[in-house]
Amino acid sequence: MKRRGIWPDDFTFAPLLKACVNLEDLKLGQGVHKHVLALGFERFGSIRIGVVELYSGCGGINDAKKVFDEMPQRDVILWNLMIKGYSQSGNVDMGLGLFRQMGERTVVSWNLMISSLAQNGREKEALVLFHEMRNSEFEPDEATVVTVLPVCTQLGELDLGRWIHSYVKAEGLYSNLFEFEKKTA
């Protein structure tokens, strides 16, 4: 584009940032971020999401937090990216702190945090959060079930495991769960 004299616009950088995440190339992503800043495109939502995803997904969680903190408006996607980034960096407590601060949550937010706790040896806290989710307006989905059932097994929570089995049957999640497991296997 540069050689042909074509100037980038706000649609140019989001896929470039995503490509850097997919390549796990933080250095290349930092170069793209510098271009974003130089051209003044950091104000666009898709680019802000891309920058946070770049840093949180490529081991630069402190840089992601800096960008996140500078944003005047944060949507649930940005909060989820930060929670995921902290989880991947092993700092579950920071992720949990952000989760507690969220104004708006989705089932994805709940699943990210429950999974983060479960994957980091904090199974009891994962179940506490699962119960909190059930007591809120959110219903477990396939991802929730796939995360919580092994925790029930590890902790010997037979009654909860039975409840989840009944829930899966009642909600007709069997076929969805089978497809979900094939995708994630």
Side-chain angles (χ1 to χ4, degrees), residues 133-150:
M133 176 187 181
R134 284 185 46 211
N135 291 330
S136 70
E137 62 194 64
F138 295 94
E139 292 294 323
D141 66 4
E142 293 87 352
T144 316
V145 169
V146 168
T147 300
V148 174
L149 272 178

Side-chain angles (χ1 to χ4, degrees), residues 42-137:
E42 69 275 4
R43 70 184 182 279
F44 293 98
S46 62
I47 294 175
R48 285 191 306 235
I49 289 169
V51 170
V52 170
E53 184 177 20
L54 166 74
Y55 288 120
S56 66
C58 292
I61 192 65
N62 292 332
D63 290 324
K65 181 73 164 99
K66 182 179 176 194
V67 172
F68 179 81
D69 286 344
E70 293 171 355
M71 293 181 180
Q73 297 175 341
R74 300 176 201 132
D75 63 13
V76 70
I77 296 169
L78 287 165
W79 287 90
N80 288 345
L81 286 170
M82 290 301 299
I83 291 168
K84 183 179 177 184
Y86 277 117
S87 175
Q88 289 173 338
S89 72
N91 196 338
V92 179
D93 290 324
M94 284 296 290
L96 186 57
L98 284 176
F99 178 81
R100 295 288 182 209
Q101 292 174 32
M102 290 178 79
E104 175 190 356
R105 293 181 186 142
T106 65
V107 71
V108 173
S109 310
W110 287 96
N111 288 342
L112 278 169
M113 201 63 246
I114 292 168
S115 175
S116 177
L117 290 165
Q119 291 173 359
N120 284 281
R122 295 167 68 169
E123 292 86 358
K124 289 181 182 178
E125 290 175 80
L127 285 188
V128 167
L129 197 61
F130 173 72
H131 289 298
E132 188 179 323
M133 176 187 181
R134 284 185 46 211
N135 291 330
S136 70
E137 62 194 64

Side-chain angles (χ1 to χ4, degrees), residues 143-162:
T144 316
V145 169
V146 168
T147 300
V148 174
L149 272 178
V151 172
C152 291
T153 302
Q154 289 173 338
L155 297 178
E157 293 284 341
L158 185 59
D159 289 339
L160 181 56
R162 285 183 178 142

Side-chain angles (χ1 to χ4, degrees), residues 32-46:
V32 173
H33 187 203
K34 285 179 185 175
H35 285 292
V36 164
L37 294 172
L39 296 171
F41 289 121
E42 69 275 4
R43 70 184 182 279
F44 293 98
S46 62

Side-chain angles (χ1 to χ4, degrees), residues 19-31:
C20 294
V21 173
N22 291 341
L23 293 170
E24 298 178 3
D25 192 333
L26 181 59
K27 187 172 180 157
L28 180 61
Q30 288 170 324

